[in-house]
Amino acid sequence: MRFNIFPPEGLKNIEPKFHVEPRAIAKTIERELSRKPLAGLYPIDGNGPALPVSLVEIRQGLIVMKPEIKPEGGFTSFIGGQRILVLCGESGKMQFLAANLRLNEDLNLVCPLPLDLILIQRRKEFRTPGPADEDLSFVLCLGAGQELLTKVIDISDHGILLDIRLGATEVEVGRYWHSGYFERLRSRSTTIDLVIKNVRPGADIDRIRAGCELYEPKKLVLKEFESTRSAIENARVQGRLNRWYLGASWHE
């Protein structure tokens, strides 16, 4: 039987932002459990084949895994040891150290919840849906003191998809928007420059969507943009999406 399991990433190649906040680790794993993912237990050094397992449940602080095959030589080498567990979900590749492995009464492997969980985006521009928050806007500055409120459909570390009222302004690929900013109630981010990369119809006939990338961003812009995306995603994982803004670096 062939299993499509991907090997773990070397820790030196993992960006710090891919480490899940400790308080969100359990809920992040629970979210993946609902999708019944196939995972693999790899040797610590990454050498050798993976033992394919299915994540069954989290019970009393333990992750329960059902082996899909019986390893050569049995489970002796697993008991009391540690492996790197890897699985691929919708958000990307997840991995963590499965320590103190043992067999339970159902002959399933169990290990404690990890203290560190790594969730690696599948691609650099992975986007997370924007919050259903009418108080969050991305404001476009159109010149001559004119501003246009737009709705954030999704956001990545370096790009954003905006929903705009049709006819409110010219929307075409290659167009630049300068000095825009995030705004929520009385808080606003630093000014952000965007370039339109794609245009598509909106969900309603009187709306249009513009996929944009950051244009020559400075360090502060990158920090605020990344903190906004991370705050939304982390709040969604924790089931506290109505308070996402507390994690955005520009929120006062």
PDB file of all heavy atoms in Angstrom, residues 6 36 43 58 79 96 102 109 133 145 154 159 174 230:
ATOM      1  N   PHE A   6       4.613  13.419   3.503  1.00  0.00           N
ATOM      2  CA  PHE A   6       5.754  14.259   3.195  1.00  0.00           C
ATOM      3  C   PHE A   6       6.738  14.289   4.359  1.00  0.00           C
ATOM      4  O   PHE A   6       6.339  14.357   5.516  1.00  0.00           O
ATOM      5  CB  PHE A   6       5.283  15.675   2.865  1.00  0.00           C
ATOM      6  CG  PHE A   6       4.414  15.729   1.638  1.00  0.00           C
ATOM      7  CD1 PHE A   6       3.058  15.473   1.719  1.00  0.00           C
ATOM      8  CD2 PHE A   6       4.963  16.018   0.406  1.00  0.00           C
ATOM      9  CE1 PHE A   6       2.260  15.514   0.589  1.00  0.00           C
ATOM     10  CE2 PHE A   6       4.167  16.056  -0.730  1.00  0.00           C
ATOM     11  CZ  PHE A   6       2.814  15.807  -0.640  1.00  0.00           C
ATOM     12  N   LYS A  36      -9.803  14.007   9.485  1.00  0.00           N
ATOM     13  CA  LYS A  36      -9.299  12.640   9.428  1.00  0.00           C
ATOM     14  C   LYS A  36      -8.026  12.536   8.570  1.00  0.00           C
ATOM     15  O   LYS A  36      -7.970  11.807   7.578  1.00  0.00           O
ATOM     16  CB  LYS A  36     -10.376  11.683   8.899  1.00  0.00           C
ATOM     17  CG  LYS A  36     -11.642  11.688   9.726  1.00  0.00           C
ATOM     18  CD  LYS A  36     -12.624  10.650   9.246  1.00  0.00           C
ATOM     19  CE  LYS A  36     -13.922  10.694  10.031  1.00  0.00           C
ATOM     20  NZ  LYS A  36     -13.747  10.555  11.480  1.00  0.00           N
ATOM     21  N   PRO A  43      11.668   9.065  11.916  1.00  0.00           N
ATOM     22  CA  PRO A  43      12.802   9.080  12.845  1.00  0.00           C
ATOM     23  C   PRO A  43      13.286  10.509  13.059  1.00  0.00           C
ATOM     24  O   PRO A  43      13.152  11.360  12.171  1.00  0.00           O
ATOM     25  CB  PRO A  43      13.861   8.230  12.129  1.00  0.00           C
ATOM     26  CG  PRO A  43      13.082   7.371  11.179  1.00  0.00           C
ATOM     27  CD  PRO A  43      11.912   8.184  10.749  1.00  0.00           C
ATOM     28  N   ILE A  58      -7.942  13.443  20.624  1.00  0.00           N
ATOM     29  CA  ILE A  58      -7.168  13.930  21.767  1.00  0.00           C
ATOM     30  C   ILE A  58      -7.947  13.531  23.012  1.00  0.00           C
ATOM     31  O   ILE A  58      -9.107  13.895  23.171  1.00  0.00           O
ATOM     32  CB  ILE A  58      -6.974  15.451  21.711  1.00  0.00           C
ATOM     33  CG1 ILE A  58      -6.127  15.831  20.488  1.00  0.00           C
ATOM     34  CG2 ILE A  58      -6.307  15.959  22.987  1.00  0.00           C
ATOM     35  CD1 ILE A  58      -5.945  17.322  20.316  1.00  0.00           C
ATOM     36  N   ILE A  79       8.307   2.465  21.524  1.00  0.00           N
ATOM     37  CA  ILE A  79       7.863   2.629  22.903  1.00  0.00           C
ATOM     38  C   ILE A  79       8.910   3.384  23.732  1.00  0.00           C
ATOM     39  O   ILE A  79      10.079   3.005  23.792  1.00  0.00           O
ATOM     40  CB  ILE A  79       7.564   1.262  23.549  1.00  0.00           C
ATOM     41  CG1 ILE A  79       6.574   0.472  22.682  1.00  0.00           C
ATOM     42  CG2 ILE A  79       7.031   1.454  24.960  1.00  0.00           C
ATOM     43  CD1 ILE A  79       5.303   1.221  22.377  1.00  0.00           C
ATOM     44  N   PHE A  96       5.341  18.137  14.490  1.00  0.00           N
ATOM     45  CA  PHE A  96       5.712  18.349  15.882  1.00  0.00           C
ATOM     46  C   PHE A  96       6.435  17.114  16.397  1.00  0.00           C
ATOM     47  O   PHE A  96       6.422  16.048  15.769  1.00  0.00           O
ATOM     48  CB  PHE A  96       4.496  18.680  16.761  1.00  0.00           C
ATOM     49  CG  PHE A  96       3.442  17.603  16.815  1.00  0.00           C
ATOM     50  CD1 PHE A  96       3.544  16.535  17.703  1.00  0.00           C
ATOM     51  CD2 PHE A  96       2.330  17.672  15.989  1.00  0.00           C
ATOM     52  CE1 PHE A  96       2.573  15.553  17.760  1.00  0.00           C
ATOM     53  CE2 PHE A  96       1.346  16.700  16.041  1.00  0.00           C
ATOM     54  CZ  PHE A  96       1.463  15.641  16.931  1.00  0.00           C
ATOM     55  N   ARG A 102       3.859   5.491  23.429  1.00  0.00           N
ATOM     56  CA  ARG A 102       3.520   4.197  24.034  1.00  0.00           C
ATOM     57  C   ARG A 102       2.271   3.646  23.365  1.00  0.00           C
ATOM     58  O   ARG A 102       1.555   4.365  22.655  1.00  0.00           O
ATOM     59  CB  ARG A 102       3.291   4.338  25.545  1.00  0.00           C
ATOM     60  CG  ARG A 102       2.164   5.256  25.953  1.00  0.00           C
ATOM     61  CD  ARG A 102       2.079   5.351  27.466  1.00  0.00           C
ATOM     62  NE  ARG A 102       1.051   6.266  27.922  1.00  0.00           N
ATOM     63  CZ  ARG A 102      -0.238   5.955  28.053  1.00  0.00           C
ATOM     64  NH1 ARG A 102      -0.657   4.728  27.761  1.00  0.00           N
ATOM     65  NH2 ARG A 102      -1.114   6.847  28.484  1.00  0.00           N
ATOM     66  N   LEU A 109      -0.962   4.064  19.138  1.00  0.00           N
ATOM     67  CA  LEU A 109       0.145   4.824  19.700  1.00  0.00           C
ATOM     68  C   LEU A 109      -0.391   6.129  20.301  1.00  0.00           C
ATOM     69  O   LEU A 109      -1.282   6.768  19.720  1.00  0.00           O
ATOM     70  CB  LEU A 109       1.175   5.146  18.622  1.00  0.00           C
ATOM     71  CG  LEU A 109       2.065   3.982  18.171  1.00  0.00           C
ATOM     72  CD1 LEU A 109       2.794   4.334  16.879  1.00  0.00           C
ATOM     73  CD2 LEU A 109       3.069   3.619  19.263  1.00  0.00           C
ATOM     74  N   ASP A 133     -15.927  41.439   9.925  1.00  0.00           N
ATOM     75  CA  ASP A 133     -15.878  42.550  10.868  1.00  0.00           C
ATOM     76  C   ASP A 133     -16.123  43.840  10.105  1.00  0.00           C
ATOM     77  O   ASP A 133     -15.263  44.312   9.365  1.00  0.00           O
ATOM     78  CB  ASP A 133     -14.506  42.568  11.553  1.00  0.00           C
ATOM     79  CG  ASP A 133     -14.415  43.592  12.671  1.00  0.00           C
ATOM     80  OD1 ASP A 133     -15.293  44.468  12.734  1.00  0.00           O
ATOM     81  OD2 ASP A 133     -13.468  43.521  13.458  1.00  0.00           O
ATOM     82  N   GLY A 145      -7.801  64.333  -1.549  1.00  0.00           N
ATOM     83  CA  GLY A 145      -8.543  64.164  -0.304  1.00  0.00           C
ATOM     84  C   GLY A 145      -9.630  63.116  -0.344  1.00  0.00           C
ATOM     85  O   GLY A 145     -10.366  62.943   0.637  1.00  0.00           O
ATOM     86  N   ASP A 154      -9.512  38.455   1.756  1.00  0.00           N
ATOM     87  CA  ASP A 154      -8.474  37.617   2.356  1.00  0.00           C
ATOM     88  C   ASP A 154      -7.156  38.375   2.342  1.00  0.00           C
ATOM     89  O   ASP A 154      -7.009  39.411   1.685  1.00  0.00           O
ATOM     90  CB  ASP A 154      -8.355  36.242   1.678  1.00  0.00           C
ATOM     91  CG  ASP A 154      -8.071  36.331   0.200  1.00  0.00           C
ATOM     92  OD1 ASP A 154      -7.288  37.202  -0.214  1.00  0.00           O
ATOM     93  OD2 ASP A 154      -8.614  35.508  -0.558  1.00  0.00           O
ATOM     94  N   GLY A 159       0.133  40.170   0.391  1.00  0.00           N
ATOM     95  CA  GLY A 159      -0.919  40.496  -0.553  1.00  0.00           C
ATOM     96  C   GLY A 159      -2.285  40.555   0.097  1.00  0.00           C
ATOM     97  O   GLY A 159      -2.471  40.138   1.251  1.00  0.00           O
ATOM     98  N   GLY A 174      -2.105  46.303 -12.872  1.00  0.00           N
ATOM     99  CA  GLY A 174      -0.958  47.181 -13.023  1.00  0.00           C
ATOM    100  C   GLY A 174      -1.133  48.550 -12.394  1.00  0.00           C
ATOM    101  O   GLY A 174      -0.178  49.311 -12.283  1.00  0.00           O
ATOM    102  N   SER A 230      -1.592  37.321  10.767  1.00  0.00           N
ATOM    103  CA  SER A 230      -1.389  36.360  11.851  1.00  0.00           C
ATOM    104  C   SER A 230      -2.451  36.513  12.934  1.00  0.00           C
ATOM    105  O   SER A 230      -2.942  35.516  13.478  1.00  0.00           O
ATOM    106  CB  SER A 230       0.003  36.548  12.460  1.00  0.00           C
ATOM    107  OG  SER A 230       1.009  36.270  11.519  1.00  0.00           O
TER     108      SER A 230
END
